[in-house]
């Protein structure tokens, strides 16, 4: 697999499982415990909203969500119900 995510099918920016399961790594001492994992669905657009809100600024991003509850360990927060996807041709296919 040229994308390096074997045994998952597909890669980044694809709708196959290998495209959705990209890791996100966060270090926030005192808030996010080491080795914490979540199954919440998040995207880059959520990082922008989260950082702006943590800085005390208003964030306008109709598609983005604040990830702070997920980072703080709120068990009721699940992130996006689905992943936003834009159809762009994959030159490797």
């Amino acid at each position: 697999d040229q994308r390096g995510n074997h045994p998952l099918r597909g890669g980044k920016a694809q709708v196959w499982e290998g495209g959705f399961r990209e890791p996100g790594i966060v270090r926030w001492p005192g808030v996010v415990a080491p080795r914490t994992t979540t199954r919440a669905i998040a995207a880059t657009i959520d990082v922008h909203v989260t950082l702006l809100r943590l800085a005390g600024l208003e964030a306008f991003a109709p598609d983005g969500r604040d990830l702070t509850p997920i980072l703080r360990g709120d068990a009721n927060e699940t992130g996006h119900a689905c992943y936003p996807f834009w159809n762009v041709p994959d030159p490797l296919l």
Side-chain angles (χ1 to χ4, degrees):
D1 181 0
Q2 72 271 20
R3 292 178 182 88
N5 59 351
H6 183 75
L8 304 176
R9 182 177 181 188
K12 191 170 184 178
Q14 293 185 330
V15 295
W16 301 106
E17 185 179 29
F20 290 114
R21 292 180 60 177
E22 299 287 329
I25 300 172
V26 175
R27 183 177 186 272
W28 192 0
V31 178
V32 178
R35 303 195 192 315
T36 299
T37 61
T38 181
R39 297 184 62 81
I41 298 173
T44 305
I45 55 177
D46 302 322
V47 174
H48 300 199
V49 172
T50 304
L51 293 176
L52 286 171
R53 291 210 175 133
L54 288 172
L57 301 171
E58 195 59 37
F60 175 76
D63 297 331
R65 296 184 64 176
D66 185 359
L67 299 175
T68 306
I70 295 170
L71 296 173
R72 293 186 189 275
D74 181 355
N76 296 322
E77 183 60 48
T78 59
H80 290 275
C82 64
Y83 184 83
F85 178 76
W86 296 267
N87 186 9
V88 179
D90 187 342
L92 298 175
L93 294 179

